[in-house]
Amino acid sequence: MELRKFKLGDEKSISKLHEETIRTINSKDYSNEQIETWPGILDNYSNLLKTLQNNISYVVELDNIIVGFGDMGHSGEIFRLYTHKDYQGKGIASKILEKLEKEAKNLNLNKITLESSLTAKSFYESKGYKIIKKVHSKINDVKHEEWKMEKIL
Ligand SMILES: CC(C)(COP(=O)(O)OP(=O)(O)OC[C@H]1O[C@@H](n2cnc3c(N)ncnc32)[C@H](O)[C@@H]1OP(=O)(O)O)[C@@H](O)C(=O)NCCC(=O)NCCS
């Protein structure tokens, strides 16, 4: 298993992984309407490359397949952390999260923030993230709920 920085050309595999994980893993916790209005799926990944290039973005590769990715803004906000649907529970997200936390420390940031899905909430809690509040939003009139969480570094 190799953890490396995102590079140009990864975006196709990442968008496929992202969509498949949402449709198979997150769909256990969300309605069809919520899945169809999920950022990325809704906008057909129009901004994916730009945001991955702007953020601190990592992938994990196994046998030349991207099996996980995560990205964090330069002020310590994790935007996405997704593991391939067929590689869940093998320590992939933990590896990426650990690296993003190191990167945040290198930037002298004192905390990491994120908005977690219901699916990932207990994963983040097990990594020391605390719930700050529940965030309600509406995308195309469909209600979404996330949990704003943070970890002091
Ligand atoms: C949440 C997610 C990223 C975890 O990825 P993963 O690679 O399977 O996680 P890991 O294998 O590194 O898990 C590490 C630990 O967390 C636990 N864990 C993983 N997913 C969990 C979950 N959903 N709930 C509770 N615990 C979880 C594992 O049991 C493991 O515990 P251990 O270290 O004591 O054995 C993955 O389930 C996923 O892709 N979810 C859908 C995408 C998503 O919602 N991402 C967040 C968007 S905000």
Side-chain angles (χ1 to χ4, degrees):
M1 215 189 301
E2 187 207 351
L3 175 71
R4 62 160 175 83
K5 281 206 161 159
F6 163 82
K7 62 178 192 301
L8 195 63
D10 290 340
E11 63 281 5
K12 214 172 162 187
S13 308
I14 288 177
S15 59
K16 186 166 181 277
L17 180 161
H18 187 257
E19 179 159 6
E20 286 180 352
T21 297
I22 292 166
R23 291 194 185 283
T24 55
I25 306 296
N26 295 105
S27 64
K28 293 173 192 153
D29 300 315
Y30 290 91
S31 68
N32 277 345
E33 279 186 317
Q34 288 171 319
I35 296 296
E36 294 312 325
T37 51
W38 202 282
I41 291 188
L42 179 68
D43 61 20
N44 206 16
Y45 298 99
S46 53
N47 283 318
L48 183 73
L49 176 59
K50 208 166 93 187
T51 55
L52 289 172
Q53 280 178 321
N54 286 343
N55 291 339
I56 299 164
S57 307
Y58 279 90
V59 305
V60 167
E61 246 182 350
L62 186 63
D63 300 332
N64 291 322
I65 299 170
I66 293 180
V67 290
F69 78 98
D71 64 313
M72 178 180 78
H74 292 263
S75 49
E77 186 186 355
I78 293 180
F79 287 104
R80 286 162 287 225
L81 181 61
Y82 286 79
T83 296
H84 189 296
K85 65 177 176 47
D86 299 331
Y87 296 84
Q88 298 273 317
K90 297 183 187 306
I92 292 166
S94 302
K95 212 175 164 79
I96 299 170
L97 188 60
E98 198 184 314
K99 186 69 181 181
L100 293 177
E101 289 177 358
K102 262 193 197 144
E103 290 271 8
K105 280 184 193 159
N106 289 343
L107 289 170
N108 285 325
L109 299 173
N110 62 356
K111 66 176 178 184
I112 292 201
T113 59
L114 55 89
E115 282 185 7
S116 176
S117 63
L118 177 59
T119 320
K121 189 160 63 74
S122 35
F123 164 78
Y124 285 121
E125 281 176 325
S126 77
K127 303 291 176 190
Y129 287 75
K130 301 273 180 265
I131 296 172
I132 305 299
K133 61 176 178 180
K134 205 167 169 180
V135 183
H136 300 270
S137 59
K138 261 191 180 180
I139 307 177
N140 281 8
D141 270 345
V142 179
K143 281 186 189 164
H144 285 254
E145 281 179 354
E146 284 93 34
W147 282 263
K148 189 168 171 61
M149 302 179 87
E150 70 173 31
K151 180 175 178 177
I152 307 296
L153 297 172

